Amino acid sequence: TRTPVNVTVTGAAGQIGYALLFRIASGHLLGPDVPVRLRLLEIPQAVKAAEGTAMELDDCAFPLLSGIDITDDAKTAFDGVNVALLVGARPRTKGMERGDLLEANGGIFKPQGEAINAGAADDVRVLVVGNPANTNALIAQQHAPDVPAERFTAMTRLDHNRALSQLAKKLGVSVTDIKKLTIWGNHSATQYPDLFRAEVNGQVAAEAVNDQAWLENEFIPTVAKRGAAIIEARGASSAASAANAAIDHVYDWVNGTAEGDWVSMAIPSDGSYGVPEGLISSFPVTVTDGEYSIVQGLEIDEFSRARIDASVAELVEERDAVKALGLI
Ligand code: NDP
């Protein structure tokens, strides 16, 4: 029997946590033959709710779930962690300035980075879901100098999946007919879902669409503002789809991407495609043997260049803001 993989989930009592934990425990995060041990990190007021979720997890009698620990202490939560899903964050509330938001999140992601640095397993992989995800990931990473920088990633897979679904609908094809879709930049309204390098049954997706007005005025805004549309319709943030995307992100990072395709992940830039080194920005990536690499050699048209640059500029601003606040 295999040793269980330690999976830590922060904000475990939240909406996304509730949608995420059952799928982790049933084998969807790492695979149907990989036992997991769950560590749930919550703020003290939410520990009781996390205990309730843990009771439900027990009641599922998942064969792969070898144990659950609940804590409000980051050091305990990340001790020996192999996969860290940083979901809990301070969301922007009405009237909150951006500086306040970044500062509040600095107070969460700095100690978590330090705790990961102190106790994580050598093979630790970190996915940040809590917003502003890219910059929160940067904060955690900067406080974990002993962990290889590339282990800190942020989630743009939900944007990726939303784009796949919108495009499939437009063309009347299956999502499996679409390959090589990319989300570039920040997980925010400036993100750029790219159809010029995507393929639909072998044809360039933008050409298959052949409707620049739809691409610019419907597709891109629909994908970028999908979160707000869901809040409007549901009366609550997307949760199950965000959890599903987190599962996809980690599963592919561990198990690899399909031949002839790639996925979108926000990862520390190595300077590829003119994205300043060190920024945690979304790229097209493939994964082999558990290690991702940025797809190289893609030609970037002028329209796409401007969109990528705009989103990257926003990431630079966020980085400079957290620097000015002394958070990194
Ligand atoms: P959710 O579980 O709905 O969301 C958690 C985070 O995920 C938010 O920052 C949210 O950002 C973000 N997110 C990223 N992508 C998406 C998406 N596509 N759709 C929705 N959310 C997305 O929040 P809850 O308020 O239900 O739960 C948060 C939990 O975190 C609470 O239980 C709280 O106690 C806990 N928490 C734990 C901390 C810790 O463990 N140290 C620290 C802070 C909070 P956005 O709001 O911008 O959408």
Side-chain angles (χ1 to χ4, degrees):
T1 56
R2 294 179 59 163
T3 337
V5 174
N6 290 325
V7 179
T8 300
V9 178
T10 76
Q15 295 302 313
I16 295 175
Y18 193 72
L20 187 57
L21 291 166
F22 296 85
R23 295 194 60 201
I24 298 172
S26 61
H28 291 92
L29 185 75
L30 297 166
D33 54 354
V34 185
V36 293
R37 181 165 188 97
L38 280 170
R39 301 270 181 75
L40 315 186
L41 178 66
E42 258 301 351
I43 54 177
Q45 317 78 286
V47 162
K48 188 154 182 257
E51 285 168 356
T53 304
M55 288 162 71
E56 282 202 80
L57 283 161
D58 277 344
D59 295 349
C60 294
F62 288 120
L64 292 173
L65 183 58
S66 71
I68 311 172
D69 306 302
I70 304 162
T71 179
D72 61 7
D73 175 58
K75 285 256 161 22
T76 308
F78 293 114
D79 189 39
V81 63
N82 304 107
V83 178
L85 302 171
L86 309 189
V87 178
R90 176 73 167 84
R92 192 192 285 264
T93 41
K94 254 200 188 110
M96 196 176 192
E97 297 295 329
R98 196 181 60 157
D100 299 336
L101 177 75
L102 293 172
E103 189 136 33
N105 280 297
I108 296 166
F109 288 87
K110 179 174 181 263
Q112 291 186 2
E114 290 167 348
I116 288 168
N117 197 55
D122 288 344
D123 69 346
V124 66
R125 289 177 169 86
V126 183
L127 169 63
V128 177
V129 175
N131 282 314
N134 301 53
T135 297
N136 288 340
L138 184 69
I139 295 171
Q141 180 209 51
Q142 292 297 306
H143 294 281
D146 303 331
V147 175
E150 74 271 10
R151 304 292 182 72
F152 285 84
T153 68
M155 189 168 90
T156 49
R157 187 59 174 268
L158 180 56
D159 309 300
H160 181 101
N161 288 344
R162 285 168 170 167
L164 280 178
S165 184
Q166 293 299 319
L167 178 63
K169 242 190 224 164
K170 168 75 173 172
L171 294 175
V173 301
S174 153
V175 288
T176 55
D177 295 325
I178 303 168
K179 312 279 182 226
K180 303 184 176 177
L181 190 112
T182 310
I183 304 293
W184 297 90
N186 198 1
H187 168 67
S188 77
T190 67
Q191 65 173 270
Y192 175 52
D194 182 356
L195 298 190
F196 290 91
R197 272 139 294 276
E199 292 172 4
V200 180
N201 292 317
Q203 188 186 9
V204 173
E207 283 168 19
V209 167
N210 194 24
D211 184 348
Q212 183 68 18
W214 176 81
L215 195 151
E216 278 187 51
N217 306 325
E218 287 190 47
F219 173 72
I220 295 174
T222 298
V223 172
K225 296 178 191 158
R226 186 71 165 176
I230 286 169
I231 293 174
E232 177 69 30
R234 246 188 118 227
S237 286
S238 42
S241 54
N244 178 68
I247 296 270
D248 284 351
H249 177 116
V250 173
Y251 186 91
D252 288 346
W253 188 0
V254 171
N255 294 296
T257 46
E259 190 64 38
D261 201 0
W262 65 60
V263 296
S264 305
M265 287 170 69
I267 58 172
S269 176
D270 61 358
S272 293
Y273 300 103
V275 180
E277 209 177 325
L279 280 186
I280 297 189
S281 189
S282 188
F283 285 100
V285 306
T286 54
V287 180
T288 317
D289 298 330
E291 293 203 15
Y292 62 74
S293 39
I294 298 175
V295 176
Q296 294 297 329
L298 300 174
E299 275 188 44
I300 308 295
D301 58 283
E302 222 171 284
F303 173 81
S304 302
R305 185 75 260 169
R307 301 274 173 158
I308 295 169
D309 289 349
S311 194
V312 168
E314 184 183 51
L315 285 172
V316 170
E317 269 178 43
E318 288 184 14
R319 181 194 59 192
D320 292 349
V322 293
K323 234 186 217 166
L325 289 165
L327 299 173
I328 60 170

